[in-house]
Amino acid sequence: MADVKAEWEKALSEKNCERLLELFDDYIDSIEEEEELREELGRLGEIAVECEDPYDLLHEIGHVYAHLDDVESAVELYRKVVERKKDDPEEYATALYYLADAYEHFGMPEKAIETYEKLLEHEENVLKNDKEIALTLANLAVNHDELGDTEKAIELMERAREIFERINDEKNHLISLLDLAHFHYELGNYDAAEALIGEVLRNPRDDEIEINAKLVEAEIHAGREDYDKAFRAIRDALVKAINVSDDVFGLVFDTLVDFIEGLFNENAYETVAENMEAFAELFEDDTAHFFRAIAELARWKAGDDEAKKRFDELYAKVENEELRSILDEWKKPKLSLSLGL
């Protein structure tokens, strides 16, 4: 610990931002008292805002402040960087972006919108970079949707989409179509959403875009209460995600679990039971037993008493604690309240 502290103090005195970032986890994790931690974050923050490229360090500092329920101190550092960078048009734009992103990350969409609008004005009047203008429009759209103003989100994303198409930025064009499809789904415009997803899936795309398209397609089918088609779309996404990355696979898997839970809450037990084997056969580990156990749990909840024994046998084969905890939660009986009148 003494060596880390000495290295930390040396990096602080030299204002060595890269070294401070390297030492951050080890040193900050060693501090036990909140008052000392806040003092250290204050010292570090003063240096971080002067770094040539401060954003990775600010990201780490911001998460610790958030853990201390002090988001304001985190975003204040980003605001100081904006002020420092205002005389360099490119650096100023970058600083505004990271400030807006911080507001977004810390759950302050109104502030994010305000900052993205300032960035958009700067990009349109000073930098005049079409791609950056379109990306900012897309970020504005997402935050308006977060606030429930989905029609405004569609308007902004349409502007972004037109620019991406004009400058032949195919990947961002397809991503904007995905976002538009999700926005239309939220408004209940299922035909419009489906047409947009169809356009994405007809075009050359990378795996992650296809996976997200399938997830939005599943949303649309679920909105129409065509749950079998929704399950097929999620399965397609899961198959593709297996070979992409653990993060993408986790996102799809969590989406599937949430969807199944929603159907349990709606007492759609038969639909769940009929669709689990298609997922079980994708796995060779205890995840296969997990999905088969879900099917038996659904049959048990639907009134098949013999399914309880089959569920218990499959449950015993599930060694993954997270999967077991999901089953534990779902097998609990629903609580019902009455007024007793």
Side-chain angles (χ1 to χ4, degrees), residues 153-165:
I154 289 173
E155 175 194 325
L156 290 162
M157 193 62 76
E158 280 287 358
R159 288 173 60 191
R161 180 197 63 76
E162 289 169 4
I163 296 172
F164 288 135
E165 187 173 29

Side-chain angles (χ1 to χ4, degrees), residues 49-51 79-88:
V49 297
E50 297 181 13
C51 297
R79 286 195 288 261
K80 286 180 178 179
V81 173
V82 169
E83 188 63 25
R84 284 192 71 251
K85 304 280 190 181
K86 66 181 181 181
D87 293 332
D88 183 322

Side-chain angles (χ1 to χ4, degrees), residues 180-192:
L180 281 168
H182 179 70
F183 296 159
H184 278 291
Y185 154 78
E186 288 185 322
L187 292 178
N189 302 333
Y190 299 140
D191 290 345

Side-chain angles (χ1 to χ4, degrees), residues 15 17 44-54 81 84-85:
K15 298 184 178 180
C17 299
L44 180 59
E46 289 179 9
I47 290 168
V49 297
E50 297 181 13
C51 297
E52 184 178 343
D53 183 5
V81 173
R84 284 192 71 251
K85 304 280 190 181

Side-chain angles (χ1 to χ4, degrees), residues 64-261:
V64 179
Y65 270 128
H67 181 70
L68 296 172
D69 292 324
D70 188 5
V71 168
E72 182 58 33
S73 290
V75 295
E76 177 61 25
L77 294 175
Y78 286 93
R79 286 195 288 261
K80 286 180 178 179
V81 173
V82 169
E83 188 63 25
R84 284 192 71 251
K85 304 280 190 181
K86 66 181 181 181
D87 293 332
D88 183 322
E90 292 284 353
E91 290 290 331
Y92 178 62
T94 301
L96 280 174
Y97 165 76
Y98 278 105
L99 173 59
D101 184 65
Y103 281 133
E104 190 173 348
H105 180 74
F106 292 123
M108 305 163 74
E110 296 96 340
K111 287 287 189 180
I113 288 170
E114 182 182 312
T115 309
Y116 278 127
E117 285 176 345
K118 190 180 293 186
L119 174 58
L120 181 63
E121 181 181 359
H122 180 68
E123 288 167 342
E124 289 178 332
N125 297 329
V126 180
L127 299 181
K128 303 185 183 204
N129 181 314
D130 283 342
K131 180 175 179 177
E132 296 302 322
I133 289 169
L135 289 170
T136 300
L137 285 166
N139 283 320
L140 273 168
V142 169
N143 280 276
H144 275 285
D145 180 63
E146 184 70 21
L147 289 174
D149 191 355
T150 306
E151 291 182 355
K152 180 68 173 177
I154 289 173
E155 175 194 325
L156 290 162
M157 193 62 76
E158 280 287 358
R159 288 173 60 191
R161 180 197 63 76
E162 289 169 4
I163 296 172
F164 288 135
E165 187 173 29
R166 174 163 53 78
I167 65 176
N168 296 315
D169 186 337
E170 183 181 40
K171 182 171 182 177
N172 280 312
H173 178 241
L174 293 174
I175 291 171
S176 69
L177 293 178
L178 277 176
D179 285 327
L180 281 168
H182 179 70
F183 296 159
H184 278 291
Y185 154 78
E186 288 185 322
L187 292 178
N189 302 333
Y190 299 140
D191 290 345
E194 192 169 47
L196 288 160
I197 289 299
E199 188 175 344
V200 173
L201 293 174
R202 279 194 301 272
N203 283 280
R205 66 265 178 190
D206 65 20
D207 288 343
E208 199 163 338
I209 289 177
E210 183 175 0
I211 288 164
N212 280 287
K214 284 293 179 181
L215 292 182
V216 178
E217 185 179 52
E219 285 183 329
I220 297 164
H221 290 315
R224 289 173 167 155
E225 298 186 5
D226 194 338
Y227 299 130
D228 291 336
K229 283 186 177 180
F231 270 123
R232 286 197 291 274
I234 297 175
R235 187 183 188 278
D236 290 344
L238 196 65
V239 169
K240 183 70 69 173
I242 288 171
N243 297 316
V244 175
S245 72
D246 289 343
D247 286 344
V248 173
F249 178 83
L251 169 68
V252 180
F253 195 89
D254 289 346
T255 300
L256 172 59
V257 168
D258 289 345
F259 181 49
I260 294 169
E261 183 171 21

Side-chain angles (χ1 to χ4, degrees), residues 269-331:
Y269 303 127
E270 185 176 339
T271 300
V272 172
E274 289 176 351
N275 282 281
M276 290 304 96
E277 185 60 32
F279 293 96
E281 65 188 18
L282 298 178
F283 299 92
E284 296 180 356
D285 59 7
D286 59 342
T287 312
H289 300 311
F290 168 70
F291 283 112
R292 293 186 175 112
I294 292 173
E296 296 304 334
L297 178 60
R299 295 186 180 103
W300 176 21
K301 284 181 173 288
D304 181 351
D305 292 335
E306 293 183 6
K308 181 185 184 304
K309 181 181 178 182
R310 298 192 297 269
F311 169 78
D312 289 339
E313 290 172 352
L314 288 161
Y315 177 87
K317 296 177 182 178
V318 178
E319 297 180 1
N320 184 293
E321 289 299 324
E322 290 185 22
L323 299 182
R324 272 197 169 218
S325 68
I326 293 169
L327 295 173
D328 288 337
E329 188 63 31
W330 289 353
K331 71 181 181 181

Side-chain angles (χ1 to χ4, degrees), residues 2-16:
D3 289 343
V4 174
K5 183 169 179 57
E7 284 286 308
W8 181 261
E9 292 297 335
K10 182 173 183 288
L12 279 174
S13 65
E14 295 174 350
K15 298 184 178 180
N16 186 336

